[in-house]
Amino acid sequence: MSLLRIRCHLLEEPLSCQWIWIGDDGLPLTGEGQIADLPKNASSVQLIIPAAQVLLTRARLPDAARRQTGSVLAFAVEEEMLREPDANQVSWIGSAGDEGILAAVDKKGLTECLDALQAAAIPVDEIYCETLLLPWTPGEWSFAWDGQEGFVRTGEFEGGATDCGDDASPPLSLHLMLEDAERHGARPASIVLYTVEPEGAMTFEGSAGGTMKNPAAAPDIEAWQRVLSIPVYIAGTWDWRRAPQSSISLLQERKRWPFFSGLFSRLRPAVWIGAAALVIHSLAVAADWALLANEERTLHQQMETRFRTIFPAAVAVVDPALQMRRKLAEARHAAGVPDTADFLPMIKTVGPELNELAPGSLRAVSYDSGRITLELAAEEGLANRIAAQLRENDLSVDINPAPADAGGGVIVLVVRTP
């Protein structure tokens, strides 16, 4: 998976940046210039903001304000930023005790940078602070030094840029940070120093085909230790281009797991195919529903026509099937022939299915207009079996609650002709 890592100064006009491209083969290619000239089509794109352009600070926050960005958190750093809250993009990135750690950057500069990258068809997946890319071990501070100035990482989520120093004198801000940490009982046991190449240093060809820069010379460690009153160790060189990927993203809402980086673009053909299939399926369902509705109307019209042909004196035809059954019953009764909805034919069908009942279980039988009501003193399972057997004989059966005066254990079956 290819990676494009970009280090961009937000406040420069026009925007320029340094970058490194690591291809699928693992070989790096580095460069610097305008955003429009950056390599395209990387699987993952990371934006690195210089340490001097990110303020990492503590603030006491209500639980509801955490994991938010925008004006709510911007007010928490208003005094430290000395500018209008709307001018800052502030994010909650972690906790230290009962305090939250906030990261604040210039909103206008960040927006312009992201817009420029978007216009160049380079969507950013992650946004990191250079400070939090430094290696860090609990109990120690990590300090990056370019020969004149640098930045320090004091905790998992904390750190900041320092002012200038020289070979014999460490930055004054670093000395003041140590004094403040001592007052709060958080003074480190030592400082691990990394040398980095200063911006604009002379470049030379790297072994992988890219360009590298001359790292800064290490300062006088003994002089620094005397001024700072703390052990200082040189840990070698450090380069943001090759720093391990951090899990601390400045903008939480833009954070994505590497697995999902570029996932939508890879799945776009499948999404279009799925959408097309869904549309076709919806059209087919709608067409089938319309066809069935048309068939229902046709059948109803045919039944109504047949009914009016047989009974031309009918005034209104609402339900031709029901009205036909009623006319048929009237014709049978007029001819002295029993109808299937009469009591005797129905009880003849119902009676044999009640053989499983114990003697005395049939509490009451009533008949009214093609409906027989049975009150059974039986278990629910037996009543359900009787209902199923009656339905097999083309009868409609409902199981109703027993009346209040019937006592417990009574089940009511209502049997009708279809």
Side-chain angles (χ1 to χ4, degrees):
M1 184 175 69
S2 57
L3 168 66
L4 175 62
R5 182 175 283 186
I6 308 164
R7 184 177 184 269
C8 188
H9 288 270
L10 303 182
L11 304 180
E12 288 187 356
E13 289 289 346
L15 285 172
S16 62
C17 57
Q18 302 167 306
W19 55 269
I20 180 170
W21 170 282
I22 301 176
D24 296 332
D25 55 4
L27 297 178
L29 177 66
T30 64
E32 57 182 289
Q34 302 300 313
I35 288 179
D37 300 329
L38 291 172
K40 307 292 193 300
N41 301 321
S43 301
S44 178
V45 178
Q46 300 174 0
L47 175 63
I48 312 299
I49 302 179
Q53 296 183 352
V54 181
L55 171 67
L56 301 175
T57 184
R58 294 190 180 196
R60 291 188 179 274
L61 301 170
D63 292 339
R66 296 187 176 192
R67 300 186 183 276
Q68 297 185 12
T69 58
S71 59
V72 175
L73 295 181
F75 283 100
V77 298
E78 182 179 8
E79 294 184 0
E80 295 189 57
M81 297 295 288
L82 300 177
R83 55 195 302 189
E84 291 296 324
D86 290 343
N88 304 317
Q89 178 71 49
V90 184
S91 303
W92 180 91
I93 60 172
S95 297
D98 57 352
E99 294 180 311
I101 308 299
L102 303 180
V105 299
D106 180 78
K107 179 185 290 187
K108 179 182 178 182
L110 179 61
T111 301
E112 291 178 351
C113 180
L114 294 176
D115 290 346
L117 289 168
Q118 189 69 34
I122 305 175
V124 174
D125 298 302
E126 301 285 358
I127 303 177
Y128 296 126
C129 171
E130 184 181 36
T131 306
L132 301 181
L133 293 179
L134 267 179
W136 175 77
T137 302
E140 291 183 335
W141 285 7
S142 300
F143 182 68
W145 171 252
D146 67 2
Q148 294 182 332
E149 56 188 15
F151 54 92
V152 59
R153 183 174 182 180
T154 61
E156 183 180 4
F157 305 105
E158 296 179 277
T162 65
D163 55 0
C164 295
D166 56 34
D167 182 64
S169 302
L172 177 60
S173 57
L174 180 60
H175 185 70
L176 295 177
M177 292 169 71
L178 285 169
E179 291 181 348
D180 183 69
E182 186 171 7
R183 285 194 298 269
H184 292 86
R187 184 178 176 88
S190 60
I191 294 178
V192 179
L193 186 144
Y194 297 87
T195 57
V196 298
E197 65 275 7
E199 293 186 34
M202 183 177 298
T203 63
F204 62 93
E205 290 294 326
S207 59
T211 59
M212 300 178 59
K213 295 185 178 182
N214 293 315
D220 187 340
I221 297 300
E222 294 184 358
W224 278 38
Q225 291 182 138
R226 286 194 300 269
V227 174
L228 299 175
S229 301
I230 191 172
V232 179
Y233 304 98
I234 298 179
T237 59
W238 178 84
D239 188 351
W240 61 268
R241 299 171 182 83
R242 296 165 181 82
Q245 182 169 323
S246 172
S247 61
I248 307 170
S249 179
L250 290 188
L251 301 180
Q252 296 294 330
E253 73 274 9
R254 304 187 69 90
K255 183 177 179 180
R256 294 185 293 180
W257 294 104
F259 174 79
F260 294 104
S261 177
L263 181 62
F264 180 76
S265 60
R266 295 195 298 271
L267 294 180
R268 188 175 296 153
V271 171
W272 280 111
I273 293 173
L278 181 61
V279 170
I280 294 173
H281 178 72
S282 300
L283 293 175
V285 170
D288 187 51
W289 179 87
L291 180 62
L292 292 175
N294 183 63
E295 290 180 357
E296 182 185 16
R297 287 192 298 270
T298 302
L299 290 173
H300 189 275
Q301 291 173 357
Q302 290 175 355
M303 288 190 294
E304 182 177 348
T305 301
R306 180 71 60 87
F307 182 82
R308 288 189 180 279
T309 301
I310 299 174
F311 302 101
V315 177
V317 181
V318 178
D319 188 342
L322 177 60
Q323 291 174 259
M324 181 67 80
R325 284 197 296 268
R326 289 175 178 175
K327 290 292 186 180
L328 179 59
E330 292 176 4
R332 284 174 175 172
H333 291 158
V337 177
D339 186 67
T340 55
D342 291 341
F343 175 74
L344 288 178
M346 287 190 66
I347 200 65
K348 184 178 179 181
T349 305
V350 172
E353 309 301 340
L354 304 179
N355 291 334
E356 292 187 52
L357 291 174
S361 297
L362 182 59
R363 300 282 296 273
V365 178
S366 60
Y367 172 81
D368 180 26
S369 301
R371 180 179 65 182
I372 292 181
T373 302
L374 307 171
E375 292 187 11
L376 309 178
E379 296 180 353
E380 183 178 356
L382 177 57
N384 288 332
R385 285 202 303 274
I386 293 173
Q389 292 168 359
L390 291 173
R391 292 188 184 104
E392 290 178 359
N393 292 325
D394 296 329
L395 294 174
S396 174
V397 183
D398 294 328
I399 301 178
N400 296 337
D405 57 353
V410 176
I411 298 176
V412 177
L413 298 184
V414 180
V415 184
R416 300 182 181 86
T417 55

